[in-house]
Amino acid sequence: MSAQSKDWILHSVIFSLKHEKGSEAERRFLEDGQRILTSIPTVTNFQVYKQVSAKNEYNYGFSMEFASQADYDAYNEHPLHVQFVNERWLTEVEKFLEIDYTK
């Protein structure tokens, strides 16, 4: 885990895709998400998860850490994030839940 300041944020989103599980489109979305979002300088400790609990209806998760609110804001406003959301997220994600944690 990265060093954490009092301003540290863990940003996580759980989601389901419109794509069939195990499909090439699923693989491409998860890989592209990781490649694109980790290229944004303020993103640290990016993880991709496949959700296995029977207690919710989502299938995947992305999580990442930010050292501060300013770093998180920079990520949200970064052109690569905006483009990924507009071109991929809005068209390929069926439903999602976003959770941001601090300590």
Side-chain angles (χ1 to χ4, degrees):
M1 182 174 278
S2 61
Q4 297 174 7
S5 72
K6 65 178 181 63
D7 299 325
W8 171 87
I9 296 172
L10 172 63
H11 171 65
S12 61
V13 60
I14 57 171
F15 58 96
S16 293
L17 293 172
K18 296 176 181 176
H19 309 304
E20 185 175 330
K21 285 185 183 179
S23 68
E24 176 65 18
E26 171 205 61
R27 182 193 64 75
R28 203 168 40 248
F29 180 89
L30 297 174
E31 288 180 359
D32 288 351
Q34 182 167 17
R35 178 180 51 80
I36 293 165
L37 300 176
T38 58
S39 71
I40 299 171
T42 61
V43 172
T44 62
N45 199 24
F46 187 95
Q47 302 291 321
V48 177
Y49 299 103
K50 291 190 178 173
Q51 198 287 120
V52 296
S53 172
K55 295 180 181 180
N56 76 64
E57 57 194 28
Y58 300 98
N59 297 318
Y60 312 97
F62 286 167
S63 73
M64 62 201 81
E65 297 178 19
F66 299 94
S68 66
Q69 184 66 51
D71 283 358
Y72 182 49
D73 293 344
Y75 159 79
N76 272 321
E77 298 164 5
H78 194 282
L80 289 174
H81 176 254
V82 172
Q83 182 178 14
F84 181 76
V85 168
N86 289 332
E87 294 179 4
R88 303 295 298 277
W89 191 266
L90 294 176
T91 61
E92 298 179 56
V93 171
E94 184 174 50
K95 57 189 169 193
F96 72 96
L97 174 63
E98 187 172 310
I99 305 170
D100 295 322
Y101 299 104
T102 62
K103 286 190 171 186

